[in-house]
Amino acid sequence: MNPAAAIRRTDPAARDWRRVLRMSLRALRRDIQAGELRVLALALLIAVASVAAVGLFTDRIQLAMERKASELLGADLVIAAPNPLQPVLSDAARQQGLQTAETLSFRSVVLAGEETQLAEVKAVGPGYPLRGGLRISAAPFAPDRLADAIPEPGTVWLDERLLQVLRIEVGAAVEVGARQLRVAAVLADEPDRGGDLFSIAPRLLMNLADIPSTALVQPGSRVDYRLLLAGTPAALDTFRSWAMPRLATGERVQGVREARAELRVALERAQRFLHLAALVSVILAGVGVAIAARRFAGRHWDSVAILRCMGATEALIVRLFTLELLLLATLAGVAGLLLGYVAQHGLSALLGTLVSSTQLPPPSWQPLLPALATGFITLLGFGLPPLLRLREVPPLRVLRRDLGPVNPRLLALYGPAVLATVALLVWQAGEWRLALYVCAGVAGTVLVLTVAAWGLVKSLSLLRGRVGVAWRFGLANIARRGPGSAVQVVALGLGLMALLLLTVVRTDLLTSWRDKLPADAPNHFLINIQPDERAGVQAFLHGHGLEGAELFPMVRGRLTMINARTVGPDDYENPRAKRLIEREFNLSWAERPQEDNRILAGRWWTVAEHGQGVASVEEGLAKELGIALGDTLHFQVAGQTVSARVLSLRKVEWDSFRANFFVLFPPGVLENYPATWITSFHLPAGQKALLAELVRQYPAVTVLDVEALMGKVREIMDRVIAAVEYVFLFTLAAGLVVLYAAIQATQDERCFESAVLRTLGARRAVVRQSLLAEFATLGLLAGLLAAAAATLTGYGLAVQVFDFPYHGSPWIWLLGGGAGLLGVGLAGLLGVRPALAQSPWRALRER
Amino acid sequence: MPLDQAGPSATLTPVISVPSALDLDNCSAALPAPHPPIIQVEQLGKQVSSPEGPLVILADIGFAIARGECVAVIGASGSGKSTLLGLLAGLDTPSTGRVWLAGVDLNSLDEDGRALLRAQRVGFVFQSFQLLNGLTALENVMLPLELAGQSDARRQALELLERVGLKARARHYPTQLSGGEQQRVAIARAFAGNPDVLFADEPTGNLDHKTGQRIIDLLFALNREQGTTLVLVTHDPELAAYCDRVLELDEGRLRARSAAGARA
């Protein structure tokens, strides 16, 4: 056996775990007392808390969704269609031993005296609901009870909101289309109420038998017909396989699994986004951890050299520090979990009611483990590599202080951090592509910032000849520490960028968005205008000074073939494409393109082409369904095929709130098919009474109050933004930690240098000035870079995501530069204040 | 506790072959000794690369130090004293030649092996004390005992602190102690675990004369009590005169053999 091996076998300290643990605990206590671990702990705390908060919150949402899933349909199986269902379906279901009930829903304006309100009308037949129950009460907000039947013919149940808006009570009469009905109860809850997220209008529940007398359901009206089914799983399966091949176009089967798929997808996406937002904090915290761990390691070179000199092996050093780090991660992690638990209540308060009207179920403990794991991964990936280098500290350092660990390979130092980042991203994003985008985004930002910071740092030397001694020393310091200064500027810049994005850019984006809508943008739509009502409605609008209200024809048709290829929902992966192809399109015709339409490819038709089989397609739809210029589209319209060659692709500004169409034809093609007409107009505030009059004259016409809709959309947006902002608070905190870590990173060196300066006779004021010069310059550079990066991000978001022009505010430069200059300058000065207060002798001796 | 009876050294003895027949002609400073030498140096050299080509720091050094002997290494600044100390203690590796420490060829050990050998056999006293600022005086003294795997580290450390007259200050941190007190703690730490060899690098360099004198008295007294071999690096001829023997370095070479000095 060789002597080295023989000796290694006798390494008692490294093998005795209890002793290593004791030594690590002592080191941990000492380092905590000395404040060495503050930044590391804080960064970990933030990382764990942000992941825990988001994890716990999304867990609660998921639990709520699962709990509700069985009642979401009000049945076990539903067949839905935009047209009346084939009677054979319900007959067969009953024959096969299933319970059945029918419903029909649409939107309509409900009148009560002078008050009008767009409501979601649902007419239900006997037996409804088959699963779950209706709850009603005698007065708004009074205790509710389970209803034992559906509304009697001639009566309706209104939800509290509708009663309030119409300013009526139970017992009053409301007009629904041509029919007057009595309010018999307050509808407190119904099982298959649409998701709260998308239900804009309040609910009116009525008896199916009253529908004909309202005259609201006309050919071409938008109505959702449903057949509800319930029974044993075996009977349901039998029926399902019997019915599937017999379904007519438009009829689709929904089981509990398919129910609310849209909402589920939307929520999953939102959750993923929140997770990613939390991850940005984690990555930023990781940067803080890396900087802090580097400093921590640097400050332990001496003690490690002494330990090595006294006979500590590399293995022991590694174990000691790894254990200390793990102990710290456990402490900070548990604190982070507690903070995350508290913070998720905030998220639930912001977003919870969007999902469920009742309180969310309490979270499970499951999400805590991944959160804690995130803390450990961050620490190991970002913090361990610099600490592991401690084992390379040569024991000879006790005699020669210039010796340190050999310069590490970049890969060894940053490889684990990159790996940890990618692992966390893939884990949280759940897919490679999204993770890759985020990775590329982060890497690109850091790279650009680094190059810019390096350039700025280098260009500072031009200034040095023109400033006084203190400033010269400060600037010289920045240039001397070139790469280090650039890293500091980047780290400071990242922190400041998070701050600017949350304040200036967000406000700018919202302002730009609001500015885009002129004050007289249409706020009401009239749909379902019958051909014979067209002239009357137009006259009515003109008569009341509602100018510019152009009426557009609308013919419903289903896209069945593209060129020679038959298309159906199964041909598309994308849920939106599936939905689009399943639905009937609103086809229209026009002589000229509207102002808010822009031809992207191809050309508009000439007068000679009127009556020809050509069409113009909205570019988003074309992309979604794979339609190219020159393709021939075949639509099924009222049982006949209408074919058209795609002559142009259009870009449509949907949020102009004007009536717009996916597919337009020239005049002379669709005129002979059944059409309804649509228009939009701006109704000045205070003229709502006009609507009541209009609806009384034309009961089949549906008024869509988009102002309310926009308000609701805006409310949802605001809440989602608030939730994202809330999560970004963690990002902000992580950014501040990075700032602090970056300032602290070179503090020791600066303390020593200021001691040298003072020993050489520099007054304290001069030293302070030179430090202020250095920090303020670093801060200013970082602030300006952050402003540039934040502006670019805002621009990218506006143009690429929200699709509107972005006018960055000049304030961002002032705020970024100012915050950097003052914040970093003052924070830096505060950091070295103790050193300035200390005698220079002591500072020199402690080095 | 005599080290020969300690567990770790018991495993060392059988596997390590000590150069049995010492070639005294090659040992420029060898003395007749009752035991094999505790330190044996043969043709030791150290050179480093510099912008002007290889720079020779030490060349052709050879000597032996007997167990219990007290040897001073003197020389001007830059003569290679500290480099020699680093090589003797296994803190650094030579470019040429060999060092046997407690019978073990240091070249045969890797860095961890040398660390363990230090933990078991070697103590240090430095000019700049090299105490860990975050640890109390007691914890500093306990450290080598813990590294050597001793079970009653606390008791032994307290005894040593009592021996250097600092028991009352056991819970004080280095920054709360004077320079002389810090060096006394360092001495207590150096003797913790009964090392075979104690290396002292300018132990009084950072102290005033009077305090330095006290430290030297303490160092030699403990050395006598424990029968430790002492290798003392200094530029102070007065201090060197306390030792049995003086090795003088001049530009990286051993210059002369000095007779045993008057031991205080």
Side-chain angles (χ1 to χ4, degrees), chain A residues 1-14 16 19 22-23 26-27 29-31 33-34 300-317 320 391 393-401 403 842 845-847, chain B residues 8 11-12 15-16 48 82-83 85-87 90-92 104 108-120 122 124 126 128 130-136 139-140 142-151 154 173 175 177 179 182 189 201:
Chain A
M1 191 187 308
N2 74 48
I7 287 183
R8 186 159 308 120
R9 278 208 349 213
T10 66
D11 181 358
D16 182 348
R19 179 170 292 133
R22 206 167 51 227
M23 290 170 82
R26 194 189 300 150
R29 192 202 65 205
R30 176 185 74 215
D31 286 330
Q33 276 170 359
H300 282 74
W301 285 6
D302 284 341
S303 48
V304 168
I306 298 171
L307 281 172
R308 299 279 283 133
C309 181
M310 287 192 296
T313 55
E314 283 186 19
L316 179 62
I317 298 288
L320 268 179
R391 74 189 157 162
V393 172
L396 196 58
R397 186 178 159 87
V398 292
L399 297 177
R400 290 183 46 197
R401 289 214 72 244
L403 293 177
R842 195 152 161 216
R845 243 181 43 159
E846 278 184 3
R847 183 158 161 97
Chain B
T11 61
L12 274 177
V15 290
I16 290 154
V48 293
S82 290
T83 305
L85 182 76
L87 292 174
L91 296 176
D92 198 4
V104 182
S108 73
L109 300 179
D110 61 7
E111 176 44 47
D112 274 351
R114 294 197 298 271
L116 283 166
L117 188 65
R118 285 197 297 274
Q120 291 154 12
V122 177
F124 286 96
F126 300 103
S128 50
Q130 303 280 26
L131 297 177
L132 295 184
N133 278 334
L135 298 184
T136 61
E139 288 168 339
N140 264 293
M142 280 167 66
L143 206 55
L145 293 165
E146 287 183 313
L147 288 174
Q150 309 231 352
S151 51
R154 179 174 292 269
Y173 286 91
T175 47
L177 301 172
Q182 286 189 46
R189 184 180 67 181
D201 181 26

Side-chain angles (χ1 to χ4, degrees), chain A residues 430-444:
Chain A
E431 51 171 312
W432 276 99
R433 220 161 54 121
L434 190 58
L436 213 67
Y437 278 138
V438 179
C439 277
V442 172

